[in-house]
Amino acid sequence: MASYKWAKIYLTDFEHLQWAVMRIVALSCSASGCENSWSVEAWIHSKKRNRLGQKTVERLVRAHTNLILQDVLQDWQATVLPWEIEMVPDEPDDDEDGV
């Protein structure tokens, strides 16, 4: 059985988990992430900035990627519904245990 079919059948009671599983299953494995990093590296390490050392270029690529991820995360957090506090189980009281 395909994983997306399994998620549709067995995760119907857990809407948010089903949504997350469906998103993860939809991801494809490819080299596009590497290609994107190389593209950003070529953009940073251009003819104007060719005196940058390799370590500096790698740090700038990481910083650029993290800024993009931070923007995406902020957009995602703005659209996600807040966690329902009623679903969080209460902590047991230590007084009931006799300790």
Side-chain angles (χ1 to χ4, degrees):
M1 175 184 300
S3 52
Y4 71 91
K5 288 182 181 179
W6 182 90
K8 280 191 172 249
I9 293 170
Y10 294 107
L11 295 178
T12 55
D13 294 338
F14 308 99
E15 295 174 7
H16 299 298
L17 182 61
Q18 184 183 28
W19 178 84
V21 168
M22 295 300 283
R23 296 281 297 193
I24 291 170
V25 170
L27 295 175
S28 61
C29 298
S30 67
S32 62
C34 296
E35 293 289 339
N36 188 27
S37 290
W38 292 329
S39 175
V40 171
E41 184 176 349
W43 174 70
I44 289 174
H45 198 75
S46 63
K47 289 182 180 180
K48 290 182 180 179
R49 295 182 285 260
N50 64 356
R51 291 185 181 191
L52 293 174
Q54 186 61 31
K55 193 168 225 166
T56 305
V57 172
E58 289 173 2
R59 288 179 179 168
L60 288 172
V61 169
R62 187 177 303 126
H64 181 275
T65 304
N66 288 341
L67 286 172
I68 298 295
L69 288 175
Q70 187 177 21
D71 288 343
V72 170
L73 179 63
Q74 288 173 351
D75 292 344
W76 179 78
Q77 287 175 338
T79 59
V80 171
L81 296 175
W83 183 260
E84 293 181 359
I85 197 68
E86 294 86 24
M87 295 183 71
V88 177
D90 294 332
E91 295 270 337
D93 293 334
D94 289 335
D95 296 339
E96 295 175 8
D97 296 338
V99 177

